[in-house]
Amino acid sequence: MRGTVLALALVVVGTAPVLAQQSRGEVRDVPWYQARPQILEETLRRCHRDARLAATWDCQNAEGAASSRLGQPLPNTLPRAGQGRQAPPVDSTGLPEPDFNPRTNPFGYQSLRRACSERGPGSEMLTPYCSQLGRYREEGSGGR
């Protein structure tokens, strides 16, 4: 008898989150969030602010939709043609070239300068961008 009561209590405790989730309304799936990026961002902010919500299906599906965007450029971050701005230069893979401006990225500029001058092991990743060193003057354009 005691085992039956314990098993019934475990079933009730285990189904409580499911019932609570269903009573709130419809659970949105990953494709639904992928089609609505604004709602996805709002849901992620809400889920990240409250750790109790992280286990809900909505938060898990929103996280899944957000992780499917990994490796893709963020929307509206690159200027569009015809808007008076010039598109950023791209490398051989079609991705925007990294910014080695010493004012905005002093560490990147120093790393590039060192890789281009020493050409040691591991520098082959940066050497295709040695041409960017000529874009910036040495004097007065340093970061810090």
Side-chain angles (χ1 to χ4, degrees):
M1 177 69 177
R2 186 174 250 173
T4 305
V5 172
L6 181 62
L8 183 61
L10 287 174
V11 169
V12 169
V13 169
T15 58
V18 173
L19 296 174
Q21 185 72 25
Q22 288 177 347
S23 67
R24 187 186 63 82
E26 138 187 19
V27 175
R28 298 173 177 116
D29 60 356
V30 172
W32 189 90
Y33 280 113
Q34 288 173 333
R36 295 161 181 86
Q38 279 187 322
I39 296 174
L40 171 63
E41 294 301 323
E42 291 171 13
T43 304
L44 287 174
R45 274 194 296 277
R46 183 173 46 87
C47 293
H48 292 167
R49 274 196 310 259
D50 189 353
R52 295 173 295 173
L53 296 175
T56 64
W57 290 331
D58 274 338
C59 287
Q60 290 178 4
N61 288 338
E63 290 287 348
S67 67
S68 70
R69 299 182 308 187
L70 290 174
Q72 298 175 359
L74 293 174
N76 300 324
T77 55
L78 297 176
R80 298 176 192 192
Q83 290 184 344
R85 294 181 282 180
Q86 186 179 15
V90 294
D91 63 7
S92 61
T93 63
L95 295 173
E97 283 188 358
D99 177 27
F100 292 108
N101 186 338
R103 287 189 182 155
T104 58
N105 187 3
F107 180 73
Y109 178 76
Q110 294 299 326
S111 298
L112 178 65
R113 202 169 92 193
R114 188 176 315 110
C116 293
S117 65
E118 295 175 7
R119 306 242 180 209
S123 65
E124 52 276 341
M125 184 172 80
L126 292 174
T127 52
Y129 302 106
C130 288
S131 62
Q132 286 198 9
L133 285 174
R135 291 184 185 177
Y136 310 106
R137 294 184 326 217
E138 289 284 332
E139 300 82 35
S141 63
R144 295 181 187 177

